[in-house]
Amino acid sequence: MGEMNSKVHEKWVDAIRGFAIYLVVLGHCIQYATSKNYDFSGNLVFRLIYGFHMPLFMIVSGYLFWYSLNKYDLVHGVIAKVKGIMIPCAIWGAATYICDILTMNYRPISVSQYLLYTVFSNWFLWAIFYCSLYGFASKHLFRNNILGYILILVLNYIIPEIGNYAGTKRMLPFFIIGMLVNRYQVVKKISDNQKKVIAMIVALSITYVITVKANCVELITGTIGSAAAILLFYRLCDYFKLKILCMLGEVSICIYLFTGIVFYFWIKEYCRISDACRYRYKVLYIVLLSIGLTALAFGIGRLLQKNRITSILFLGR
């Protein structure tokens, strides 16, 4: 969603996005491809994933947004975000609505129904858009002063959860964390000492597992889990290419939105595995299904990338 100053930043950020988007697909597989009677919310892997994967996405979005903040003035910045976020949101909203009409053909076609799909589906895109507006406000009203961030956070929690705003209320703190991480080069400063990095990753990971088991709030698990993932991948990119994850990260928006449609309309209706199957077969099924869907969505994303018009419409490029 934003511009990057170096190939190093591009590499570890894309690797994290690729890692996070696979966790999204895996989590949705556990939720929608297991039997209807399965208590997926009690699954430790599911709880670990949902404890930090969306906060991680939002921190990365805030990190990248910092480059946009320094590149655009207020008007051009908002226009850029409308093009980069709202256009794909409208297009994928239309795709979701069409799928609903095709699978439930008694539903009448109307502009109002389509607008409802656009507003209430793809909540994460709306959250990024609203957070971006807050980010531009912090620059042009408060000159990126820390006090301005505090006031924005207070305002965020005062605003009622009307319409599709609930996701923004949850995600804005992580978006601001991402902006501050980039602004003060936190990751680079910490990663300069390898021993401290290793110790911190281990400590954060242990703390994260403990907090997830204790069913703590998302703000705690999201921050700890995201910090561990960012520090880990920042160091890994010094030693490994992580090409597959980077490639997934480049089309993460397509993987997220396409698989979301597939899960909602088909996987949960026709592809659930029976409770009668043995546990190891269930695990194998979930893993293979998550990999297969990720690969399919990735292929579609790459095809959309090749055409300028489809890239703009579906990927916000």
Side-chain angles (χ1 to χ4, degrees), residues 20-89:
I21 198 60
Y22 175 70
L23 291 184
V24 170
V25 178
L26 179 60
H28 283 164
C29 278
I30 295 173
Q31 182 176 0
Y32 293 117
T34 49
S35 66
K36 291 184 179 180
N37 299 323
Y38 179 67
D39 181 22
F40 61 85
S41 61
N43 184 294
L44 180 59
V45 175
F46 180 85
R47 291 177 63 189
L48 286 170
I49 291 172
Y50 272 71
F52 81 99
H53 72 311
M54 299 316 286
L56 177 59
F57 261 125
M58 189 57 77
I59 289 175
V60 171
S61 296
Y63 182 94
L64 294 176
F65 174 75
W66 183 254
Y67 296 118
S68 296
L69 196 63
N70 293 319
K71 178 179 180 180
Y72 297 113
D73 58 29
L74 178 60
V75 174
H76 290 92
V78 172
I79 292 174
K81 291 306 169 185
V82 169
K83 290 180 178 178
I85 300 176
M86 289 295 96
I87 290 178
C89 190

Side-chain angles (χ1 to χ4, degrees), residues 20 88 93 132 155 158 160 171 178 182 204 215 231 260 266-267 270 281 286 310 313:
S132 298
L155 176 64
I158 292 175
M171 294 292 113
N182 194 338
L204 286 172
N215 198 26
L231 288 171
W266 289 284
I267 298 297
Y270 309 110
Y281 294 140
I286 294 299
T310 57
L313 292 178

Side-chain angles (χ1 to χ4, degrees), residues 1 24 28 31-32 49-50 52-58 61 85-86 88-90 92-93 96 116-131 162-174 218 253 256-257 260:
M1 294 295 178
V24 170
H28 283 164
Q31 182 176 0
Y32 293 117
I49 291 172
Y50 272 71
F52 81 99
H53 72 311
M54 299 316 286
L56 177 59
F57 261 125
M58 189 57 77
S61 296
I85 300 176
M86 289 295 96
C89 190
W92 287 99
T96 307
L116 284 175
Y117 263 94
T118 303
V119 171
F120 289 102
S121 61
N122 308 324
W123 69 269
F124 189 71
L125 292 185
W126 282 97
I128 293 178
F129 181 70
Y130 291 143
C131 288
I162 299 174
N164 60 3
Y165 191 77
T168 307
K169 190 174 286 271
R170 288 171 48 209
M171 294 292 113
L172 181 61
F174 302 110
E218 184 180 49
I253 186 173
Y256 173 66
L257 297 171

Side-chain angles (χ1 to χ4, degrees), residues 216-234:
C216 292
V217 296
E218 184 180 49
L219 187 59
I220 298 174
T221 60
T223 303
I224 294 174
S226 298
I230 289 171
L231 288 171
L232 177 63
F233 277 94
Y234 192 90

Side-chain angles (χ1 to χ4, degrees), residues 189-209:
K189 290 178 181 177
I190 294 176
S191 67
D192 285 341
N193 190 316
Q194 189 166 349
K195 291 183 178 179
K196 286 184 178 180
V197 170
I198 295 174
M200 186 171 292
I201 289 174
V202 172
L204 286 172
S205 300
I206 293 173
T207 306
Y208 176 67
V209 172

Side-chain angles (χ1 to χ4, degrees), residues 228-252:
I230 289 171
L231 288 171
L232 177 63
F233 277 94
Y234 192 90
R235 297 304 299 175
L236 285 177
C237 283
D238 288 339
Y239 306 102
F240 305 100
K241 292 183 178 180
L242 303 178
K243 185 176 179 179
I244 293 178
L245 288 179
C246 290
M247 292 171 66
L248 292 178
E250 291 175 0
V251 292
S252 58

